[in-house]
Amino acid sequence: MGSSAAHQLKQLKPLYQHVVNNFVAVLAAPLAVAAVVNAARVGPDELLGRLQALRAVHVFLAVFVAAAAATLYVMLRPRSVYLVDYACFRTRPNCRVPFATFLEHAKLVTFVEGASIDERSVRFMTRLLERSGLGEETCLPPAHHYIPPYRNMEASRAEVELVIFSAIDDLLAKTGISPNAIDILVVNCSLFAPIPSFTDMIIHRYGMRPDIRNVHLSGMGCSAGLISVGLAKNFLQVAPKGAHALVVSTETITPNYYVGKERAMLLPNCLFRMGGAAVLLSTSRARARFRLARVVRTLTGAQDSAYRCVFQEEDGEGHRGINLSKDLMTIAGDALKANITAIGPLVLPASEQLLFALSFIARRVVNRHVKPYLPDFRTAFEHFCIHAGGRAVIDELQRSLGLSDQDVEASRMALHRFGNTSSSSVWYELAYIEAKGRMRRGDRVWMIGFGSGFKCNSAAWECIAPARTAEGPWAESISRYPVDIPEVLKH
Amino acid sequence: MVFEQEQEEVTPGAVHGYRLSTVVPSSVTGEVDYALADADLAFKLHYLRGVYYYPPGDVARGLATKVLKDPMFPWLDDYFPVAGRVRRAEKDAEAAADGAPRRPYIKCNDCGVRIVEAKCDRDMDEWLRDDAPDRLRQLCYDKVLGPELFFSPLLYVQITNFKCGGLALGFSWAHLIGDVPSAVTCFNKWAQILSGKKPEATVLTPLNKPLQGQSPAAAPRSVKQVGPIEDHWLVPAGRDMACYSFHVSETVLKKLQQQQGRHAAAAGTFELVSALVWQTVAKIRGGDVDTVTVVRTGAAARSGKSLANEMTVGYVASAGSSPAKTDVAELAALLTKNVVDETAAVAAFQGDVLVYGGANLTLVDMEQVDVYALEIKGLRPVHVEYGMDGVGEEGAVLVQPDADGRGRLVTAVLPRDEIDSLRAALGSALQVA
């Protein structure tokens, strides 16, 4: 097609969108006009006569049935769930790990008895770090500042307490809510599941009520944050009206330092960093800041390749680590497609859905080689929080969704400043967008999480009120962002 | 994977249970390189080892490792070169035709400072009373720069907990990055941050530049040329060196001053004390200590930079007679008046040199260094001793103030087999008249 034709099409697009998205109005308007014209033609006296001819019972029934249907519809609708506020763990300078320190420690661990990591592994990790998109301010727990790192339970618990207690303290201060007003507690942490659970730790520390509903989700991967939100949403449907649910997402790094030399298992050492977030959800709209529109979960674990994609196992020498398969990107792409297919119809405006359906039909019926239409999700969302799994993941998603650099800026900057904080990374990204002052009332946010399984989960939020204060994990660093991240950070 | 367990039998009373960790600057320093001055490079083969002893009690009990470590993060923001690592200049920058190793500099990559935690199952009093030679080495992590410069920290801080609750802080400082006054000021600033005070600003400008002048053909008399040194910055002395500290009380000082006679009022305490040790060492060695190298703080000549090697280096030759037979007073007079200053020549010399104990017995003046100012939460150290590593066979003698400032503490770094003789020979001289 000529470029002028394409240009004309582009100009027609907004008109097309208005027409299709307001289809009902577009249809109803001429009908209403026709009805008014018709009524005018019939004449007011004639109309009155016809009305009086109607029997009272019929009128009553008509009104009653309509009212009953409407009431039933309203009652059976799921309750709206709102986000009252959220707080991310604010990293401490005494947990900071610059690249040089990380690599020096890895080098020194090669001398430790029992560790298999060797020179080649250290060089490999150097190359990984240089291309990872991480910055020099990411944090590791205090136990990992030792050579060799502590990986025992006591150190792991210390990290957990540091991260989640400070996040929850911040959240309680922000929302002004008291711990015994919390009815539901959901915590997710994949790689560390002590007895008693994290939820018991929190209940013990904050003195929560004995009838609180608590669940700890472990082993659910990096997308578990959105799974927890989904679970809390379901709990809130059956809890008393106005109940509060506290959702805590974190990942414990301490027990998971890999000391072997399998390359596929060294990557998590380089990318995973300390982080956590605490989120307060409620069915009461009072003081709420976001409304949870949708949670869509997609699992592809039925396929072998997806199942084995992110796999925790022991390597040939018995060192435990997380094995990332080479086709991670392809599998992530497929999982994303599955999730888009599920969430698209729920969030996309009719105009995009129609185009997608037409393109789908064209591919099936007319010609296989017609390019599939990529729905423009920017018509459905203003902000995107893509799990900062790694530079490659963010690049791949940007490409798959056709997003601009500014759309994925939050993800890239969160990766740079905090590293891959697993399930809480989407919250750090939301905090970035708010810290930059880009959130407005009515803005819609799409959070996408990926994780082992292979899962792709989405949550769609709508903003009711932007952040009131500048407090948060970005408070000290936001003025330095956005940062230009070089392809290779030469070391 | 095993860690945190005693690997082998622990000698009773020895320091054990070493745990290493790292402390980094709290904010990103950025792509900064710290150039080393020629004077810095002259001292690169030496390592300062200082130990501070804190008495047991409530304050010491409250000094958990975290309490000691947390102020180090902002401290290193100010002293970021100390958290860097040594690198060599890129090939094209230094077109050294003679194939000499490329000029080292410090890459300020925030790699950090190493912290060592250790335990000792003895009481601190007992430890101090024992007066064991080379106890310094157990309380200061004795690593040097190299063999991999890339991964060698410039500073180690060892925190040793004694059974009685006493605490020893051992600093291992690469002389390359700064001289004794720089190091002590640096440590004092950390203690000030710990105690909640805001220390003076750190001055790291003007930037160091290589000297343009001609290098002297031969090494100056004060130092000994060694090497060429590749990447392991330690010249092993042919003999096993040990540090031994002893106290020179105020009374003994007064006696020495009275004995000056015709050289009355000429010599200061440093000259008197080091003259005494010079004479003693000459006696032990039976002569051959005719020249000594003298390294002094030279407060007047300091530029005010927080990290610099600005100590004056010179030598003194005993005219004619053997020092073993010369009066302490006469030797002291020589040390006062006849020092030949070679500071500039030492810095300009391009080869690798040993300053301390290289060419001659080296006398180090630490009188003006305020070592007892390292107060942790108001707790003053009961004892401080400073020794040196990387000292050549000729040995070194460091003279510093003692706890109350009136006496002197002397640390002699000598071949191990000379220590006993030194003890014996000094024994009588240090007795109160």
Side-chain angles (χ1 to χ4, degrees), chain B residues 256 259 271-290 292 318 321-332 335 361 363 397 421-422 425-426 428-430:
Chain B
L256 288 172
Q259 285 173 349
E271 287 84 356
L272 286 169
V273 173
S274 37
L276 174 65
V277 182
W278 183 5
Q279 187 198 60
T280 318
V281 172
K283 283 190 188 141
I284 298 172
R285 292 187 186 166
D288 202 29
V289 197
D290 295 328
V292 287
S318 76
S321 61
S322 160
K325 301 200 183 66
T326 322
D327 269 347
V328 172
E330 252 189 73
L331 290 174
L335 286 171
L361 176 70
L363 308 169
V397 177
S421 327
L422 181 78
L426 279 172
S428 50
L430 294 179

Side-chain angles (χ1 to χ4, degrees), chain A residues 295-366:
Chain A
V295 175
V296 176
R297 296 169 53 180
T298 331
L299 287 91
T300 58
Q303 285 118 49
D304 263 345
S305 55
Y307 172 65
R308 291 206 72 94
C309 181
V310 178
F311 208 78
Q312 184 186 34
E313 62 187 359
E314 277 149 15
D315 68 9
E317 281 147 339
H319 299 298
R320 190 183 289 195
I322 301 166
N323 198 329
L324 300 173
S325 90
K326 286 200 173 29
D327 36 342
L328 178 63
M329 284 302 116
T330 329
I331 290 169
D334 291 340
L336 177 71
K337 277 201 196 62
N339 194 272
I340 290 178
T341 316
I343 199 176
L346 301 173
V347 296
L348 285 170
S351 53
E352 293 295 316
Q353 296 201 38
L354 187 58
L355 281 174
F356 181 72
L358 288 175
S359 131
F360 186 76
I361 293 170
R363 275 168 62 89
R364 279 297 171 90
V365 171
V366 176

Side-chain angles (χ1 to χ4, degrees), chain B residues 77-142:
Chain B
D77 278 339
D78 290 334
Y79 277 97
F80 57 86
V82 179
R85 294 291 181 267
V86 179
R87 299 267 177 101
R88 290 201 186 266
E90 290 307 307
K91 275 207 168 66
D92 44 28
E94 280 286 298
D98 51 1
R102 292 163 279 139
R103 193 184 176 87
Y105 68 97
I106 307 280
K107 186 162 175 71
C108 300
N109 57 8
D110 291 348
C111 205
V113 151
R114 197 76 77 229
I115 311 295
V116 184
E117 294 164 61
K119 298 193 274 271
C120 180
D121 291 332
R122 298 175 67 191
D123 286 342
M124 201 169 83
D125 291 336
E126 209 193 306
W127 173 276
L128 285 171
R129 259 199 321 267
D130 249 12
D131 227 6
D134 226 17
R135 64 187 179 197
L136 213 66
R137 196 159 299 233
Q138 293 210 46
L139 297 175
C140 290
Y141 210 61
D142 61 350

Side-chain angles (χ1 to χ4, degrees), chain B residues 72 122 150 201 252 347:
Chain B
M72 292 187 187
R122 298 175 67 191
F150 223 79
V252 174

Side-chain angles (χ1 to χ4, degrees), chain B residues 41-46 218-229 235-239 293 313 315 342 346 349-362 390-395:
Chain B
L41 292 171
F43 284 90
K44 69 176 188 266
L45 297 170
H46 299 293
R221 234 174 113 172
S222 321
V223 303
K224 176 175 160 197
Q225 182 172 18
V226 291
I229 302 292
V235 178
R239 302 155 73 183
T293 305
V313 179
Y315 71 90
E342 288 190 320
V346 169
F349 184 66
Q350 288 297 325
D352 297 324
V353 294
L354 267 183
V355 179
Y356 300 97
N360 320 300
L361 176 70
T362 311
V391 175
E393 275 176 28
E394 296 297 324

